[in-house]
Amino acid sequence: MHNQLSERFGIEFPIFAFTHCRDVAAAVSKAGGLGVLGAIGHSPEELDVDLRWIRDQIGDRPVGVDVIVPAKFEGKGQSLSVADVNALIPAAHREFVNDLLARYDVPAGKSDRATAAGNAPAPFSPEQAFGLLEVAFAHKPALVANALGPPPPAMIEMAHDRGIPVAALAGAPNHAERHVAAGVDLIVAQGTEAGGHTGDIATMVLVPEIVDAVAPVPVLAAGGIGRGRQIAAAMALGAQGVWCGSVWLATEEAETHPTVKEKFLKATSADTLRSRSRTGKPARQLRSAWTDAWEAPAAPPTLPNPVQMLLAEPAMARIANAAHDPNSGAAQLANYFVGQIVGSLNQVKPVDRVVMEMVEEYIDTVQGMAGSLEDA
Amino acid sequence: MHNQLSERFGIEFPIFAFTHCRDVAAAVSKAGGLGVLGAIGHSPEELDVDLRWIRDQIGDRPVGVDVIVPAKFEGKGQSLSVADVNALIPAAHREFVNDLLARYDVPAGKSDRATAAGNAPAPFSPEQAFGLLEVAFAHKPALVANALGPPPPAMIEMAHDRGIPVAALAGAPNHAERHVAAGVDLIVAQGTEAGGHTGDIATMVLVPEIVDAVAPVPVLAAGGIGRGRQIAAAMALGAQGVWCGSVWLATEEAETHPTVKEKFLKATSADTLRSRSRTGKPARQLRSAWTDAWEAPAAPPTLPNPVQMLLAEPAMARIANAAHDPNSGAAQLANYFVGQIVGSLNQVKPVDRVVMEMVEEYIDTVQGMAGSLEDA
């Protein structure tokens, strides 16, 4: 599995692990892949603590950081605050969510972080993103990635000044071309079957299109990849490595909510959908009473990102707090971003075992294919 | 590329070509794959003519036949006629279609086959399907396939009595398990990126799930497969072969309407959608003014299959007839079933060249992967 890309990043296997959990990021980097910490729910101080902790665990092995950086960067002080965005939520939407939570007997939240942090920059604001990037750069990451849309010129310039490669996600060939024209060093071609924000084109079609469109820029395949056979398929499609997210959510190290982890273990590949109900943009997640309510004809139209997120996330926090309460139906509402490979997450395993099984199945698969070529 | 499956069917490459065009079916079988004629628009007499013609072309090479057989077979004389089904179309739906055609200046049809054949069995009726199957069996096909849903016991029994294997399409692992329990010999695992009737699960996720669910029954991968890299990916996922449809629609031999073929050559992988507007079931097709109209909020809900089909197909015939008329906007409405690989159909080629390019790219891909394993 060793190739140019793993050589370039100083890793054994070109398996890039997107995760919000520092334990998973460290464990993947220790197992020979490359952990990429998604710093989306972090404050700059929290990110600093987590990257310090990861460095202690992994020594001089590489780790990456993923931040959502908006394409337009107007300069400091131009961002909306949490309070500004909260003011954009219509009363009817608040009522719809409150009615839904009441119907499932979800108690009121003890602390409402979104309201408490009213003066903080809103999620997805440039001010928040660049604050996180500054912290990330101080820890000498092996790469920085922008999870949503094109990395802005300021981000690419800051990274390249420090000799750090920039990765960006693309759900269509023209997005990948735009990224490369802007200076991006590594494209994550993410198919519709992936968890989180995705487009409509499947990995099987998208990867070779993007590989051809941006050659010789290397491409990681994302979406539908959770085991060695799928890594071999990704390499056959022309990818130089893979970017996996969902597969780590059922590992021992993952901080996935226990109720959601239990749902993931039981779910089939047919139990996800792309829904705007959590962030305002189409994001693949587990189907639950929450997504059913937003898909129903009576639901209000979802709000734009990040307004929908500031409506949904406090509700999701209340749901998480009540998920174990036998007097609440919160567990029925609980969900999380996950791809269609959720159907093959049937057992909680440590991260290093997941990586080793991927590598072993990859080698078996390629040897089998090579053997059948010789027989012909 | 030679393996157990190609051995079993007496073909050089396990490339199964679904097509409604006898020229394509014959050309694929001559090129070393296996043509499968989709007998969906055929009368029994037309199917007999086409299978005779194919046999003249291919000699003793194998060819398959695909028929849509409904799961419930009540016995002869129980089927609805075309006139019965036409009577189920509400006036408001007829008006919506007539308004749409008028808006695009599509002239009235010269002959309306659906109305003319009022006493004939309706499409998707058991009577129609078994009439076609009897003709097919007389021509000793290498396989019979049911394109939609589980093959009924009578179909499997008839085929097995004659020593003919039965294939069936599955868009979810439980469908594949149900098919195998009913006696199906070959599963086509068809991902959401495929053209025509599809489910929601992508090929990358679906194929290994179905391979594991039905082993040792062989699996063909379908959806997103149009070139050698994608065949290699399918084999990596555990398939023993591939089932392709869209890739033949832009070949020299294909009878694809010239306007639609031109649209296919220009389309990107983002230009398809799953729509119920042609058959009443979700079927992936090219986005056009027709699908836009049915997706619009003002559109009536689509009707069940086959009622929607008897509403849509006469309209599509009028559109096809007028597509070259400079005084009509019919070309904007024209579309056809096609998968997301439409983005890589950029040139009209003969079928044998498509097959040869697939095989060459497959071999290059597998050799490259095998080489990288040795380097490690």
Side-chain angles (χ1 to χ4, degrees), chain A residues 193 200-205 208-209 211-212 224 227 229-230 232-233 236-237 269 340-341 343 365-367 369-370 373, chain B residues 193 200-205 208-209 211-212 224 227 229-230 232-233 236-237 269 340-341 343 365-367 369-370 373:
Chain A
E193 53 268 65
D200 193 43
I201 308 169
T203 300
M204 185 67 97
V205 171
E209 284 193 332
V211 165
D212 288 349
R227 50 189 288 187
R229 279 187 198 166
Q230 287 154 338
L237 296 174
S269 53
Q340 291 184 337
I341 64 143
T365 301
V366 177
Q367 283 176 340
M369 291 173 74
L373 212 57
Chain B
E193 52 269 64
D200 193 44
I201 308 169
T203 301
M204 186 67 96
V205 171
E209 284 192 334
V211 165
D212 288 349
R227 51 188 289 186
R229 280 188 199 165
Q230 287 154 338
L237 296 173
S269 53
Q340 292 184 336
I341 65 142
T365 301
V366 176
Q367 282 175 341
M369 291 173 74
L373 211 57

Side-chain angles (χ1 to χ4, degrees), chain B residues 173-184:
Chain B
N174 58 327
H175 298 171
E177 284 167 336
R178 194 177 57 190
H179 293 338
V180 168
V184 167

Side-chain angles (χ1 to χ4, degrees), chain A residues 156-196:
Chain A
I156 295 175
E157 199 182 313
M158 284 168 75
H160 286 179
D161 283 350
R162 292 161 177 81
I164 296 168
V166 178
L169 272 70
N174 59 327
H175 298 172
E177 284 166 338
R178 195 177 56 191
H179 293 339
V180 168
V184 167
D185 307 282
L186 180 64
I187 299 293
V188 181
Q190 189 191 39
T192 189
E193 53 268 65

